[in-house]
Amino acid sequence: MHMPVPLTRDIVLIGGGHTHALVLRAWGMSPVPGVRLTLIDPNATAAYSGMLPGHVAGHYARSDLEIDLVRLARFSGARLVLGAASAIDPDAREVHVPGRAPIAYDVASVDVGITSAMPGLPGFTEHGVPAKPLGTFADRWAQFVTDAATGHVAPQAAVIGAGVAGVELAMAMAHRLKTAGCQDAQVTLIEAGRMVSTLSAAARRDLRAAIDTAEIRLIERTAACSVTSTSVELEDGRSVPCSFCVGAAGTRPHDWVAQSGLSVTNGFIDVDDMLRSTSHRTLFAVGDCAHMTHAPRPKAGVYAVRQAPVLARNLRAAVVGLQPRRYHPQRDYLKLISLGEKSALVEKGPITLQGDWLWRLKNRIDRDFMDKFRNLRPMPAPAIKGDVARDARKAQAAPLCGGCGAKVGAAGLASALAGLPVSTRDDVLSTPGDDAAILDFGSTRQVLTTDHLRAVVEDPALMTRIAAIHALGDIWAMGGHPQAALATIILPRMSEPMQAATLREITHCAQEVLAQAGAVLAGGHTTQGSDLTIGFTVTGLVDEPITLAGAQPGDALILTRAIGSGTLLAGEMRAQSEGADMAELYSTLVRPQGDAAALLALSAHAMTDVTGFGLVGHLLAMLNASGRGAQVTLDAIPVYAGAKALAARGIASTLAPANRASAIGALDGLTDTPASALLFDPQTCGGLLAAVPQAEAKKLVQGLQRQGHSAVQIGQITDGPCRIQLS
């Protein structure tokens, strides 16, 4: 029997810079069995610096220059940790990310770039915008253009630092403001020394002419001494009017990198000709955050791109035992400088050229680079060989969803449970279909539930948060107060050190989530299997349980959370969901709903949480228990960003067809639309669904929204057959 290779080595990539992005792509095409690859980055996307001036000028949409790290991680088989590294312990081989246990590594690489923040310049932190990191700058710039075009702020911008990056940004900003209708726009370029001092005299002369043509004010040999909300103050006493101030003066390493205990030069990690830290051979560094001790070079993206194949080889060599490669950076490189409009200037050695055709050349180079990260699809599963049972090949074609999408369908589950005998114990008060068992201890009542989820993300800490909050949902839905939990953990086959490190990540997050809910992690059980699976058995205390029964005619139906998580997760498995949509979804899934349950419990006649059987399935369970019907307004139901688009392309969770088949007979007014398809979508960490008196509905919805929940009224309970009327 073929057995998967157990995991024995951890490679951790810190930062989603250009080099690491290319390494992930190469790894996805040829992974090393037995290696767990991890990417740590605070963002779901990484901006490509080469296209930033074009985006600022309005030539590219934001999506044109973003590398989708969620999709890239899925393609490469890496676990993605959406968090910002705050420290490295190179001796203990651990990376620290706030809010979670340290992430252990055997081999690590750092590609976190640099920052253009200017903390030493008074007022810049409050009123300025660093040109790096690129994502934050792009967001702030887009808002400024909108505000300037609508007259809310003066169209006056300043760039501190007239190196190549500063000049490109200033010219792009001037062009964009004019095309946005700000004819009185003024962009000022401020340089303490000489403009683009790294270029030849001929290139500087041509750039100066282009700056003058763009009507950019250039101030040289004068430093900025402070920044206010309306100006940049200069050391010579002059004041530059400014509503948007960009910092592009030089480069600074991130403080935590400089304080990492690694050998550094001016805060940049010293690396040798194999891109390894000169002080710690199990750690590599690339891109702008690294200092190449064997061949110092200026900070430029071209070096980061060309380091990628060497780093990919050397990471592989470190965990397999191969001979590493040496990196030899070129002495000079082609400098293509955008000039705001679709024109560019190029310098290579003594040659300087300028023209529209050079912009087209730069555009083709940049788009070719970005095309490497488009249309990535996970590698298909190996084909089944030999004799195969009927329908087995068809069943293998669709990947099995995780989370609630991996549940057994309602019809099959009901059939299996139908033959069970009715309990004769008078201390077990719950009825079939309730969210949790109700146990009577005289003056005390306890609710008991169990739930486990096959992983929907590779990050065990994030998966733990999702699984714990998902399990707590049944306690909250019955108006209970979480008390204690037992964890059930199935780890993929891995070495003992990796088991210990992974369990530390899981238990750290489990304890944190449960403690926030008022419960304790009392123990649990672990085993190894084919996939990461995390579950919790949870108890809670309750005075008077809120069950599925009790909904009254005229009650308002309140839903606290959007639907569509199953479709988004299914799309992500197929590398078709947008990374930004997934990051937004994850942030919602790990948001506890104890406060929402406490507010609803004051009024609810019936309540449940929407999970595996979808919104319609769980609503029907409430209606059947209460002997009522319901009217639901389809357009009122909130939907996660990106879910409708995926549903329109036919993407659905593997459980959705069974959910539809179980519920279709009780629906009236159903139409074949993407929105209606999501009614059957299995939800992981889904919202609470409560039937409350109509007179209190508005106040409750407003209260839930103040708590931060996207709560809405989606319909009402009717006196009639157990059916749902959609409108």
Side-chain angles (χ1 to χ4, degrees):
M1 178 184 294
H2 173 71
M3 296 292 290
V5 176
L7 299 171
T8 61
R9 290 291 184 271
D10 267 313
I11 294 179
V12 176
L13 305 180
I14 307 165
H18 304 348
T19 312
H20 280 177
L22 289 167
V23 167
L24 285 163
R25 179 178 179 272
W27 191 274
M29 295 177 175
S30 180
V32 178
V35 176
R36 178 170 62 181
L37 186 64
T38 300
L39 171 65
I40 302 173
D41 196 276
N43 302 304
T45 60
Y48 171 48
S49 59
M51 296 174 78
L52 180 66
H55 170 65
V56 171
H59 305 318
Y60 301 124
R62 178 69 178 272
S63 58
D64 290 333
L65 67 151
E66 287 191 328
I67 299 171
D68 192 321
L69 297 181
V70 175
R71 191 172 295 169
L72 185 57
R74 173 63 69 177
F75 173 76
S76 65
R79 61 170 175 163
L80 174 60
V81 174
L82 288 172
S86 60
I88 300 174
D89 185 335
D91 298 317
R93 297 189 191 178
E94 292 180 341
V95 183
H96 294 262
V97 177
R100 58 184 296 150
I103 299 172
Y105 67 84
D106 295 292
V107 181
S109 178
V110 185
D111 185 14
V112 294
I114 53 180
T115 177
S116 299
M118 306 173 73
L121 179 62
F124 184 85
T125 300
E126 296 80 10
H127 306 295
V129 185
K132 294 187 177 182
L134 305 181
T136 301
F137 167 74
D139 289 339
R140 296 278 295 274
W141 168 249
Q143 186 60 55
F144 172 71
V145 171
T146 299
D147 292 344
T150 55
H152 289 88
V153 297
Q156 298 168 331
V159 180
I160 302 176
V164 170
V167 169
E168 281 193 303
L169 285 177
M171 299 192 73
M173 292 162 68
H175 176 74
R176 180 70 185 98
L177 288 173
K178 289 178 181 178
T179 59
C182 305
Q183 298 305 318
D184 56 343
Q186 176 64 64
V187 176
T188 303
L189 192 54
I190 302 167
E191 172 56 51
R194 296 178 62 197
M195 178 193 73
V196 289
S197 57
T198 58
L199 298 183
S200 66
R204 287 201 306 273
R205 182 177 61 251
D206 289 347
L207 271 183
R208 179 58 191 263
I211 287 172
D212 291 342
T213 299
E215 298 180 330
I216 294 171
R217 180 186 180 192
L218 174 64
I219 299 176
E220 295 182 281
R221 295 184 174 85
T222 304
C225 63
S226 68
V227 179
T228 73
S229 60
T230 58
S231 68
V232 177
E233 303 300 319
L234 305 180
E235 286 185 342
D236 63 6
R238 285 182 288 175
S239 180
V240 176
C242 171
S243 302
F244 187 81
C245 176
V246 182
T251 57
R252 292 182 58 252
H254 294 281
D255 292 337
W256 67 268
V257 173
Q259 298 163 5
S260 61
L262 299 164
S263 175
V264 298
T265 295
N266 298 323
F268 300 101
I269 300 172
D270 291 332
V271 297
D272 61 17
D273 60 354
M274 297 178 187
L275 305 177
R276 298 175 304 193
S277 163
T278 57
S279 59
H280 294 80
R281 293 171 65 88
T282 60
L283 188 136
F284 295 75
V286 289
D288 289 347
C289 68
H291 170 67
M292 295 182 286
T293 58
H294 65 292
R297 294 289 189 276
K299 304 301 180 186
V302 65
Y303 297 117
V305 170
R306 296 190 181 184
Q307 286 171 343
V310 177
L311 177 63
R313 162 72 184 193
N314 291 351
L315 290 173
R316 182 179 295 262
V319 294
V320 174
L322 303 175
Q323 184 66 30
R325 283 176 55 186
R326 301 181 186 278
Y327 172 66
H328 302 287
Q330 65 270 42
R331 292 185 177 277
D332 194 15
Y333 61 93
L334 187 71
K335 303 177 185 68
L336 270 168
I337 304 170
S338 298
L339 299 179
E341 297 184 358
K342 292 185 177 181
S343 179
L345 179 147
V346 64
E347 182 201 62
K348 179 66 182 294
I351 300 174
T352 300
L353 299 171
Q354 183 179 339
D356 296 350
W357 70 274
L358 288 169
W359 188 91
R360 292 192 294 271
L361 172 64
K362 184 179 188 305
N363 175 61
R364 186 166 69 249
I365 292 172
D366 290 337
R367 288 193 180 275
D368 285 347
F369 177 80
M370 290 302 296
D371 282 345
K372 298 177 186 293
F373 306 102
R374 309 294 188 200
N375 302 316
L376 295 174
R377 293 289 183 269
M379 294 299 175
I384 303 174
K385 297 180 180 180
D387 294 335
V388 179
R390 285 182 296 178
D391 298 327
R393 296 184 193 275
K394 181 179 179 182
Q396 188 201 35
L400 178 64
C401 288
C404 259
K407 289 180 69 170
V408 174
L413 184 61
S415 175
L417 299 178
L420 293 179
V422 177
S423 173
T424 58
R425 295 188 62 102
D426 57 8
D427 56 355
V428 179
L429 308 180
S430 53
T431 58
D434 281 337
D435 290 298
I438 304 170
L439 308 180
D440 190 0
F441 296 97
S443 61
T444 301
R445 283 185 177 175
Q446 187 181 57
V447 284
L448 170 67
T449 187
T450 188
D451 217 323
H452 71 263
L453 298 176
R454 180 172 169 268
V456 295
V457 293
E458 296 296 328
D459 176 9
L462 176 58
M463 191 60 228
T464 300
R465 292 186 183 277
I466 292 172
I469 288 173
H470 185 82
L472 288 165
D474 285 341
I475 303 296
W476 289 324
M478 298 195 76
H481 303 283
Q483 179 188 25
L486 299 174
T488 303
I489 303 167
I490 301 176
L491 295 178
R493 292 184 65 206
M494 57 180 62
S495 65
E496 289 190 8
M498 292 182 72
Q499 290 175 20
T502 304
L503 287 172
R504 279 196 298 271
E505 292 187 54
I506 291 172
T507 54
H508 178 277
C509 285
Q511 287 177 321
E512 183 178 283
V513 172
L514 292 167
Q516 288 176 349
V520 296
L521 181 62
H525 182 73
T526 62
T527 188
Q528 295 186 69
S530 59
D531 298 293
L532 174 65
T533 300
I534 302 174
F536 295 91
T537 298
V538 189
T539 63
L541 300 177
V542 62
D543 295 325
E544 189 62 38
I546 304 171
T547 66
L548 292 171
Q552 301 297 315
D555 279 353
L557 283 170
I558 293 178
L559 180 65
T560 64
R561 186 165 284 181
I563 64 172
S565 64
T567 295
L568 281 168
L569 293 168
E572 194 278 322
M573 288 182 64
R574 296 163 174 81
Q576 295 192 45
S577 297
E578 298 293 332
D581 294 339
M582 296 309 300
E584 182 180 341
L585 173 66
Y586 297 147
S587 67
T588 302
L589 298 188
V590 299
R591 165 70 159 93
Q593 296 191 89
D595 54 350
L599 182 59
L600 289 168
L602 299 174
S603 305
H605 292 145
M607 187 157 63
T608 186
D609 61 334
V610 179
T611 53
F613 300 136
L615 175 59
V616 164
H618 288 278
L619 175 55
L620 282 173
M622 180 187 291
L623 300 181
N624 287 325
S626 302
R628 307 296 180 187
Q631 292 179 342
V632 172
T633 302
L634 187 59
D635 290 344
I637 301 171
V639 174
Y640 287 114
K644 284 185 181 179
L646 290 171
R649 303 204 313 255
I651 294 175
S653 170
T654 49
L655 185 58
N659 286 348
R660 182 186 181 93
S662 296
I664 192 72
L667 295 177
D668 297 318
L670 182 66
T671 56
D672 186 15
T673 65
S676 63
L678 296 176
L679 294 173
F680 311 104
D681 190 48
Q683 302 303 290
T684 299
C685 297
L688 297 169
L689 178 65
V692 304
Q694 181 63 60
E696 300 179 35
K698 183 177 180 180
K699 179 180 66 175
L700 287 170
V701 168
Q702 290 174 341
L704 291 165
Q705 291 175 348
R706 283 194 295 269
Q707 290 176 340
H709 301 281
S710 55
V712 293
Q713 179 178 340
I714 64 169
Q716 63 183 14
I717 300 295
T718 62
D719 187 8
C722 301
R723 301 184 63 81
I724 300 173
Q725 175 65 53
L726 298 172
S727 61

